[in-house]
Structure formats: C-alpha cells, structure tokens
C-alpha cells in the first residue's frame, strides 16, 4: 500500500456510521422509533470518534438531537402512548428523516473530498 492510500483509508468515515445513517430513518418510519436509539448512538459516537470531517460530526449530532427531543417529550408526558412510535408527531419524523439525509450527504461529500 502506498502512503496516499493509507491516508485516504484512515480518514474515511466509519462504515458503521454510514449504515446507521441509513438505518435511523428506516426504523423511525417503520414504527421502530424506540429501537432507533441503537443506530443513533452508533452514528453519533462513530462520527465523533472516527470522522475527521466537521460536517459529518455536526450532522450526526443533529440526528441525535432530532431523535432525543421526541424521546424526551414522550418520557415526560403523563398521558403518552405506550409506544414512542405511536406518540411521535409526524413533524418530528420528518425532521429525523431530513437530519439523517443530511448526514448521508455529508458522509458522501467527505468521501469525495478525501
């Protein structure tokens, strides 16, 4: 391996972040909003630890925040539904999908630049 190929492979966003970025909107739309915490955490931690691109880190944080807000609302409400998927407002679902799409685009932008 050449030095250039080693540098480009070490600067890539981890594959787990990319897979998680795709899994979050699929799980939220598929009515598994509570279980989406797993790919949200993987995307956030993986981006903060492994991604060198600032935009990838910021968009991963946006995905985590867009998921955490409806989760907190669901936990605080005394009359909430038994499932987060049944209690989440469609606007928050759209926000999570848009934030995940932004993360996916940021990952592909970082790969093109790297």
């Amino acid at each position: 391996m050449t030095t250039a190929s080693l540098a480009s492979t070490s600067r890539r966003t981890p594959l787990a972040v990319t897979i998680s970025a795709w899994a979050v909107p699929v799980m939220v739309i598929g009515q598994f909003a509570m279980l989406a915490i797993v790919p949200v955490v993987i995307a956030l931690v993986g981006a903060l630890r492994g991604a060198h691109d600032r935009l990838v880190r910021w968009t991963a944080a946006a995905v985590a925040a867009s998921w955490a807000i409806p989760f907190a609302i669901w936990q605080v409400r005394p009359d909430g539904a038994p499932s987060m998927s049944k209690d989440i407002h469609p606007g928050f679902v759209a926000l999570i999908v848009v934030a995940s799409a932004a993360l996916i685009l940021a990952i592909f932008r970082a790969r093109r630049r790297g």
Side-chain angles (χ1 to χ4, degrees):
M1 279 190 153
T2 65
T3 308
S5 65
L6 285 174
S8 66
T9 57
S10 65
R11 291 182 158 237
R12 292 183 74 179
T13 304
L15 181 62
V17 175
T18 305
I19 293 170
S20 296
W22 284 97
V24 171
V26 169
M27 292 180 82
V28 171
I29 292 172
Q31 299 292 310
F32 292 101
M34 184 61 198
L35 290 177
I37 190 171
V38 175
V40 166
V41 169
I42 291 171
L44 181 64
V45 172
L48 292 177
R49 295 189 79 210
H52 295 283
D53 189 54
R54 182 176 291 164
L55 184 61
V56 172
R57 292 190 302 250
W58 277 102
T59 53
V63 170
S66 67
W67 183 88
I69 292 168
F71 175 74
I73 292 170
W74 176 59
Q75 289 294 314
V76 172
R77 286 183 49 188
D79 62 337
S83 168
M84 182 177 163
S85 296
K86 295 184 187 302
D87 200 36
I88 192 169
H89 189 276
F92 281 120
V93 173
L95 182 65
I96 294 168
V97 171
V98 168
S100 296
L103 177 58
I104 292 166
L105 290 174
I107 290 168
F108 285 121
R109 183 189 71 87
R111 284 190 180 167
R112 281 187 183 218
R113 287 181 49 207

